[in-house]
Amino acid sequence: MTDNEEPMIAAGTISELAFNKYKRWQWWFLVALSIAFLIVGQSAAVILGRFYYDQGGNSKWMATLVQTAAFPILFIPLFTIPSPPEASTSVSPSIKILALIYFVLGVLIAADNMMYSTGLLYLSASTYSLICASQLAFNAVFSYFINSQKFTALIVNSAVVLTLSAALLAINDESDEPSGVSKVKYTIGFLCTLGASAVYSLLLSLMQLSFEKVLKKETFSVVLEMQIYTSLVATCASIIGLFASGEWSTLHGEMEGFQKGQVAYVMTLVWTAIAWQVCSVGVVGLIFLVSSLYSNVISTVSLAVTPIAAVIVFHDNMNGVKIISMLLALWGFASYIYQNYLDDSKARHAQAVAKSQMILLVENIQFDHTFAEVPFFF
């Protein structure tokens, strides 16, 4: 990165506050932990979601509900992990403003989850993965206009390579359309998945904007609060949809007809819900620590990681296309991590220079003051 390029962590943002708040190793540890949460959580949730459908599950609203229903477990770290005193002197937003933000984001999350569930029901895995990869392009646009995100060659390279990786996974699947799906339903699935990718990218940018302009806090508790209250709204919306659609009346028969048994049915839904919450904490944590674009890039990495889990769980074949896709994903991931390393080094160097200049200025003032007090004799 040249001297005239802006660092990825923009000045004056909540990401910069978090970056300056922690020591270097602490910041990188939290970023690595958030990445692990996102990739592991999303991969596990997708695998369990496939298992749910393969074994006889067919409720779109149930698949939507489990993506946010496990939010109460987040109260455990919220109340057990102490937060340091707030350094910011800004006025806290009113309850009405916070409620409005959580309500709007929660409704968007519920709609986004429902569109993803509908798309996965009507599309093949290949088409679904290919359309989901478009979220990087959507996020690039939203980050530029909403979050003033600056781009470098490494960021563009990472986004392009990760998109190619997801596209390779998509064209690797031989099936193009699920059997028994009409052209109308296929079109609905295509539009729902494309819309869900756009809404998901918009959500990430809006969350980052909320952190920077409204919440303005420097602790990780704000991340958990954002996830808890938006998930509460999304869960309520999903429950309303489940009962309004009438799908609730089919759940008992669905559980009895589950191929692995009723206990497996319940445990599949429970662990799917937990996995989605782990993923969500990673997503919001990366928005808080870095940016929404970075969070979306890591989300795309999981599209290439999921086949590894599928090989272990379902004994799928790992062919040459999947191996190439994994290598591309690692390439894109490394490019983005290296960009963060450059930004980190530049920011730390700038802070060290500013501190040295301040110390030198104070010493000069003290010297001038001392020199002025020395009497002169003629």
Side-chain angles (χ1 to χ4, degrees):
M1 184 172 65
T2 59
D3 293 335
N4 60 350
E5 288 179 329
E6 295 288 337
M8 190 172 59
I9 301 177
T13 64
I14 193 69
S15 300
E16 185 194 34
L17 293 176
F19 179 78
N20 294 331
K21 180 182 180 64
Y22 300 106
K23 296 181 180 179
R24 181 170 183 157
W25 71 269
Q26 291 175 327
W27 185 84
W28 277 103
F29 173 77
L30 290 176
V31 170
L33 186 63
S34 297
I35 291 174
F37 278 3
L38 196 161
I39 294 179
V40 173
Q42 184 168 343
S43 299
V46 171
I47 290 296
L48 290 171
R50 289 179 180 177
F51 182 80
Y52 168 76
Y53 285 117
D54 289 344
Q55 299 300 315
N58 54 19
S59 173
K60 298 189 300 292
W61 279 109
M62 178 57 69
T64 302
L65 177 61
V66 296
Q67 296 184 47
T68 55
F71 73 89
I73 66 175
L74 298 180
F75 281 107
I76 298 176
L78 179 64
F79 292 125
T80 57
I81 299 178
S83 298
E86 290 289 341
S88 176
T89 58
S90 60
V91 179
S92 299
S94 64
I95 299 298
K96 292 182 179 180
I97 294 178
L98 287 177
L100 179 61
I101 291 175
Y102 293 145
F103 178 78
V104 172
L105 292 179
V107 171
L108 284 176
I109 289 173
D112 185 55
N113 292 343
M114 182 57 184
M115 286 191 290
Y116 272 131
S117 299
T118 303
L120 190 58
L121 179 65
Y122 294 143
L123 296 178
S124 65
S126 62
T127 306
Y128 178 81
S129 298
L130 181 59
I131 299 173
C132 286
S134 66
Q135 67 191 34
L136 276 178
F138 286 119
N139 197 203
V141 176
F142 289 132
S143 295
Y144 180 80
F145 287 104
I146 297 178
N147 309 118
S148 301
Q149 177 71 54
K150 304 299 181 181
F151 293 97
T152 66
L154 284 173
I155 295 177
V156 173
N157 172 76
S158 177
V160 171
V161 170
L162 286 170
T163 302
L164 290 176
S165 173
L168 274 178
L169 287 178
I171 64 176
N172 181 55
D173 192 345
E174 295 180 357
S175 62
D176 197 19
E177 295 185 23
S179 59
V181 174
S182 64
K183 190 66 177 179
V184 175
K185 290 184 177 180
Y186 181 83
T187 303
I188 293 174
F190 180 89
L191 294 177
C192 284
T193 306
L194 186 65
S197 299
V199 173
Y200 177 75
S201 299
L202 177 62
L203 274 168
L204 296 184
S205 293
L206 290 177
M207 284 185 177
Q208 183 177 349
L209 184 66
S210 299
F211 284 138
E212 295 171 359
K213 303 299 183 181
V214 181
L215 300 177
K216 297 180 181 180
K217 294 182 180 180
E218 303 179 32
T219 63
F220 196 73
S221 62
V222 71
V223 176
L224 295 176
E225 290 174 357
M226 170 72 78
Q227 182 59 29
I228 288 171
Y229 296 125
T230 56
S231 295
L232 172 62
V233 175
T235 300
C236 292
S238 300
I239 292 175
I240 293 174
L242 180 65
F243 281 91
S245 65
E247 287 188 2
W248 66 272
S249 61
T250 65
L251 295 181
H252 182 70
E254 182 179 283
M255 181 172 63
E256 290 183 343
F258 202 69
Q259 296 180 17
K260 294 295 184 180
Q262 297 182 19
V263 175
Y265 176 83
V266 174
M267 295 305 297
T268 299
L269 295 178
V270 169
W271 285 108
T272 301
I274 294 175
W276 277 122
Q277 286 305 305
V278 171
C279 171
S280 297
V281 170
V283 168
V284 184
L286 287 177
I287 296 174
F288 174 78
L289 293 166
V290 189
S291 69
S292 64
L293 180 60
Y294 185 78
S295 179
N296 213 342
V297 168
I298 303 303
S299 296
T300 309
V301 171
S302 67
L303 293 176
V305 173
T306 301
I308 297 291
V311 169
I312 298 174
V313 176
F314 299 119
H315 306 290
D316 291 350
N317 294 325
M318 177 60 76
N319 54 31
V321 174
K322 291 182 179 179
I323 294 176
I324 294 175
S325 178
M326 282 297 303
L327 293 176
L328 286 174
L330 292 174
W331 178 10
F333 179 72
S335 296
Y336 218 93
I337 289 296
Y338 184 63
Q339 179 65 70
N340 270 267
Y341 171 76
L342 295 178
D343 293 338
D344 181 18
S345 300
K346 183 176 181 179
R348 299 293 177 181
H349 177 71
Q351 290 176 4
V353 171
K355 185 176 181 180
S356 299
Q357 292 176 347
M358 181 62 67
I359 294 175
L360 183 61
L361 179 62
V362 172
E363 290 177 348
N364 290 335
I365 293 175
Q366 291 177 346
F367 175 78
D368 292 340
H369 180 71
T370 303
F371 184 77
E373 293 179 349
V374 176
F376 289 90
F377 300 96
F378 297 96

